[in-house]
Amino acid sequence: DRPHPMCQDVIDALRYCHATTSKLKFWGCNDAKAAVDKCFKEEKKELLKSLNKDIEQVRQREEDAFRDAVGQDLTFEEYLKKDTDYQKAMSEAEERKKKDPLAFSKSAEGTK
């Protein structure tokens, strides 16, 4: 049990429901459980937002450290822009997509 300060009231409501509802009526606390799940989801969203608020600066520091470590002045994206083999492969892929766009859709992959 880790603390959930944002959700303590709905957690308490679920615990109360479990304590007062017959165990034979297993669906009796579904609404309370759904409220807890919704609250946890919101809490996680807020936590991730606070953890990732400065992600661009972190990524830039990591990119700078990597370039210093390998002695490169180019970023990976800049390297790819200059790589002729990569550019050729990407243009060929674009041509294939233009010829048959349905082959590259989500439904072609088996997912919708």
Side-chain angles (χ1 to χ4, degrees):
D1 258 344
R2 67 181 178 93
H4 294 279
M6 291 175 55
C7 303
Q8 197 57 50
D9 55 338
V10 290
I11 292 171
D12 291 340
L14 179 62
R15 286 183 178 155
Y16 178 78
C17 182
H18 283 163
T20 59
T21 304
S22 170
K23 302 299 182 232
L24 298 176
K25 190 177 176 184
F26 59 89
W27 61 87
C29 298
N30 285 354
D31 292 339
K33 175 67 169 118
V36 169
D37 291 343
K38 183 179 178 183
C39 187
F40 284 170
K41 186 175 182 179
E42 290 297 317
E43 184 183 59
K44 184 176 182 179
K45 186 195 292 186
E46 292 297 318
L47 178 65
L48 289 174
K49 189 189 308 183
S50 68
L51 290 174
N52 292 328
K53 67 182 174 202
D54 61 344
I55 193 68
E56 291 302 321
Q57 292 87 5
V58 170
R59 285 186 179 157
Q60 186 60 46
R61 283 195 308 262
E62 289 173 352
E63 181 74 28
D64 293 342
F66 175 75
R67 279 191 270 150
D68 289 343
V70 296
Q72 296 289 327
D73 291 332
L74 297 176
T75 65
F76 185 66
E77 289 80 17
E78 292 169 342
Y79 173 79
L80 287 178
K81 286 179 184 176
K82 292 184 176 188
D83 186 1
T84 56
D85 292 335
Y86 175 77
Q87 293 300 323
K88 182 180 174 186
M90 290 303 292
S91 64
E92 289 171 359
E94 286 298 319
E95 289 299 319
R96 285 193 307 271
K97 283 183 185 179
K98 287 179 185 175
K99 288 181 183 175
D100 191 10
L102 294 178
F104 294 92
S105 67
K106 291 282 186 191
S107 59
E109 297 172 3
T111 58
K112 291 185 178 183

